[in-house]
Amino acid sequence: MKVYIDGQFLDSGDAKISVFDHGLLYGDGVFEGIRLYQGCVFKLDEHLERLEYSAKAILLDLPWSRQEISDIVCESCRVNGLTVGYIRLVVTRGIGSLGLSPKSCSKPSIICIADHLSLYPAEYYENGLKIITSPIRRMNPAALSPGIKSLNYLNNILAKIEADRLGYIEALMLNDQGYVSECTGDNVFIFQKGKLFTPAFYAGALKGITRGVVLDIAEELGIPCIQENLTRYDILVAEECFLTGTAAEVIPVVEVDGRTIGTGKPGETTVKFLAEFRSKVAKEGTFL
Ligand code: PXG
């Protein structure tokens, strides 16, 4: 596998960054996770826009145009002969001296890894996921906006580790007010009485690209989708619940904290959204 770092494609074993990179020293950087389906990069423009916004929010000036970054992403897929896969795009503050201030960092670094994807087992889509509510709260937007896809994922990582130790692969995270924000790497939706509901961004959810596609599908299907505060109670009494994310796509949730959601099987609407999502990825995207 070849990895792109600052203008060069390197063998994966040689793809290394400096120990003085502020991305490593301080988590000072931003990233994106993108999918490649059938030779098409899905929602590339949306991912690049989010990367630009994340960078802007942390006062990191990207010295590359959107087209240049798009070319790096596509070339990384081509060089590795991929037609399906997962692309990790990372921008760090770059090399600097010890000390928090990025003033010593003269130029940001850009890394692009395009690799095969290890998919969630089909069983999760057929039978649904069992998740738990994490006692770890999602970041307060006044501390660090959860809208920034930054290299500071410890909050979510800790929730993920604790869930994993209990035998779960995802965990629901509440915000510091106790409202549902999202999962550690996925947005959350419920379906109730003909309507979809998902936490608003102000509840501390990342502006998920898959979430956006699900909102488009809801509009196409004429299903109203309400973005408002949801409580754990709303999830527990929902007819259906599903998660969305670049890796997970649309994945049903059938149990939360040992309590059955809906019928305990993936709901009809969830199954429809997954099918619609998969038909979209087969038709849309930026060709390599
Ligand atoms: N919330 C959070 C906190 C995320 O990090 C999503 C929601 C879903 O957003 P998208 O745009 O993917 O629909 C994410 C993104 C991984 C991995 O390696 C996945 C994400 C983040 C970091 C790593 O599986 N999901």
Side-chain angles (χ1 to χ4, degrees), residues 189-198 218 222-226 228 238-240 242 269 273:
F189 283 82
I190 56 172
F191 182 69
Q192 190 77 311
K193 295 191 176 161
K195 291 180 186 154
L196 273 185
F197 296 84
T198 193
I223 298 174
C225 186
I226 297 152
E228 63 177 21
E239 291 164 25
E240 298 184 28
F242 62 85
T269 307
F273 272 83

Side-chain angles (χ1 to χ4, degrees), residues 4 21 95 118 142 164 185 224:
Y4 180 92
D21 191 301
I95 296 169
S118 55
D164 181 67

Side-chain angles (χ1 to χ4, degrees), residues 11-157:
D11 284 327
S12 52
D14 299 324
K16 293 174 183 161
I17 59 154
S18 164
V19 294
F20 295 103
D21 191 301
H22 279 212
L24 173 71
L25 287 174
Y26 303 115
D28 189 351
V30 294
F31 77 103
E32 280 298 318
I34 311 168
R35 284 286 281 272
L36 174 70
Y37 293 99
Q38 285 130 19
C40 260
V41 186
F42 189 59
K43 297 280 169 195
L44 180 55
D45 222 41
E46 286 78 354
H47 281 286
L48 297 183
E49 182 182 76
R50 188 170 65 186
L51 185 82
E52 288 166 8
Y53 288 168
S54 294
K56 184 160 189 189
I58 66 161
L59 293 133
L60 194 163
D61 288 329
L62 296 175
W64 315 277
S65 66
R66 188 174 305 182
Q67 187 58 50
E68 281 170 320
I69 303 180
S70 168
D71 291 346
I72 290 169
V73 168
C74 294
E75 194 54 21
S76 300
C77 297
R78 281 193 290 261
V79 162
N80 288 293
L82 294 171
T83 51
V84 290
Y86 183 78
I87 302 148
R88 173 60 53 92
L89 189 57
V90 185
V91 175
T92 76
R93 190 78 67 177
I95 296 169
S97 53
L98 296 179
L100 289 179
S101 170
K103 278 187 185 158
S104 63
C105 304
S106 55
K107 61 175 173 49
S109 276
I110 183 163
I111 299 165
C112 186
I113 309 165
D115 201 0
H116 295 283
L117 177 75
S118 55
L119 291 168
Y120 282 113
E123 184 212 315
Y124 292 154
Y125 296 90
E126 283 151 24
N127 303 327
L129 276 189
K130 296 176 179 181
I131 65 170
I132 52 163
T133 306
S134 177
I136 298 175
R137 295 294 168 104
R138 194 70 178 93
M139 194 76 82
N140 183 324
L144 178 67
S145 170
I148 303 171
K149 212 165 155 57
S150 80
L151 297 182
N152 286 264
Y153 254 61
L154 261 186
N155 177 225
N156 303 44
I157 290 168

